[in-house]
Amino acid sequence: MKKLQLKAPAKVNYRLDVLGKRPDGYHDLRMLMQRVDLNDDIEIALSETPGVRVTCDGGGAPDGPGNIAWRAADALLQLSGKEVGIDITIAKHIPVGAGLGGGSSDAASVLMGVNELLELGLSDEKLMEIGVKLGADVPFFIFKRPALAEGIGNLLTALEQVPEVWVVLVNPGIHVSTGWVYQNLRLTNKNEPAKVSSSYAGLDEICAVLSNDLEPVTIGRYPRVGELKELLSAAGARGVLMSGSGSTVFGLFADEKTAKQAAAELAEEHGWFTAAVRSI
């Protein structure tokens, strides 16, 4: 039976503005989102035994129906009406509950992979419609470009120009609940949010736009996240920020050598998960 090997990349948020709470309980957001080349490895294989099976190797993500990748595959299998089986194996390299979008990226890769294997011919736009019902970040990974994300994260506009940069990711092993962060977010009457550009000429312009409205909530409960920002700055990062709802913090570096040196030193000194990666 046919199978595919896929890579599901992580993401960071260069900016995350919370504009207000919606009647449906979600929040209106404005985010600048960028994929990075830290990947989960996914194998999807068709089987003669009907149904969806997901095995997740390490990282703390669940097997079976509790995994968002299972729900993605099941959604397309039900849509297809075909009596086939889908076996999915995920090797986790992206930390779970870390603000890096690993689960959403897995789900997006599964949607695209199952669409190909079952020869459904669904457009990316249709896959994004299905994906947003699974998670607000899923459409971004199907979009496959640096993007301005609005609404709940599902309204995507491609950024015209974004330079490739080196990013050091540091995760202290703290699992942060996104739901908890939003529940504890205090929305004040902020001024109209600053305009963001669709084009960035270099690293300094990206560093100038770094901002995350969720950061004070997460740091208030997990001060270690604030300490990571200080350590990355001390290691030479030109800009530092918490990604998503945390607990991963990232630093932007001018070159590969400095980034890899900083990642190695932080890993050796503290034993945290660290990775020096490129934006993609």
Side-chain angles (χ1 to χ4, degrees):
M1 300 292 279
K2 294 188 293 185
K3 65 181 180 181
L4 283 175
Q5 306 274 354
L6 302 171
K7 289 190 177 295
K11 61 84 182 170
V12 294
N13 302 88
Y14 290 151
R15 191 175 187 96
L16 195 163
D17 298 323
V18 183
L19 305 182
K21 194 166 185 178
R22 299 154 52 106
D24 60 9
Y26 289 96
H27 289 79
D28 277 314
L29 306 174
R30 186 184 65 168
M31 301 180 289
L32 294 175
M33 302 180 71
Q34 172 72 62
R35 295 176 302 150
V36 296
D37 67 350
L38 171 68
N39 303 284
D40 288 343
D41 292 309
I42 300 177
E43 180 179 280
I44 309 172
L46 297 186
S47 165
E48 294 179 355
T49 305
V52 177
R53 289 159 293 276
V54 172
T55 304
C56 194
D57 174 21
D63 295 334
N67 194 301
I68 188 175
W70 186 96
R71 302 200 302 275
D74 185 64
L76 288 196
L77 186 59
Q78 298 298 328
L79 183 66
S80 76
K82 298 186 178 184
E83 289 292 323
V84 297
I86 302 172
D87 293 313
I88 300 169
T89 304
I90 304 173
K92 290 294 293 180
H93 305 293
I94 304 170
V96 175
L100 296 172
S104 295
S105 186
D106 293 348
S109 291
V110 166
L111 287 173
M112 292 184 285
V114 171
N115 183 45
E116 181 178 340
L117 285 174
L118 294 184
E119 300 177 350
L120 300 180
L122 300 176
S123 66
D124 282 352
E125 289 72 20
K126 180 60 178 177
L127 293 177
M128 290 161 70
E129 284 179 25
I130 296 168
V132 75
K133 297 173 185 175
L134 302 168
D137 285 345
V138 175
F140 166 71
F141 290 104
I142 298 170
F143 195 63
K144 298 188 287 286
R145 282 164 286 173
L148 169 66
E150 297 174 285
I152 61 172
N154 60 317
L155 305 176
L156 299 167
T157 304
L159 298 180
E160 296 168 11
Q161 178 185 349
V162 185
E164 180 182 288
V165 297
W166 278 89
V167 184
V168 173
L169 307 171
V170 184
N171 183 273
I174 299 168
H175 187 294
V176 176
S177 164
T178 300
W180 177 87
V181 174
Y182 278 102
Q183 287 166 16
N184 287 273
L185 176 67
R186 294 183 179 180
L187 289 172
T188 57
N189 292 322
K190 299 196 305 179
N191 296 327
E192 186 73 20
K195 292 185 177 181
V196 295
S197 175
S198 62
S199 181
Y200 297 86
L203 177 59
D204 288 342
E205 288 192 13
I206 295 176
C207 290
V209 82
L210 294 178
S211 178
N212 185 342
D213 285 348
L214 303 181
E215 214 178 50
V217 181
T218 302
I219 291 176
R221 181 165 180 178
Y222 304 107
R224 175 61 53 80
V225 173
E227 295 170 14
L228 295 185
K229 291 187 67 179
E230 295 174 6
L231 287 168
L232 273 167
S233 290
R238 300 269 288 273
V240 295
L241 193 68
M242 183 182 81
S243 187
S245 54
S247 60
T248 300
V249 172
F250 66 91
L252 302 182
F253 285 78
D255 58 80
E256 177 181 3
K257 180 180 178 181
T258 311
K260 289 186 173 178
Q261 182 178 342
E265 289 175 357
L266 288 168
E268 183 177 353
E269 290 176 20
H270 303 282
W272 297 318
F273 171 90
T274 65
V277 297
R278 290 175 304 148
S279 60
I280 55 175

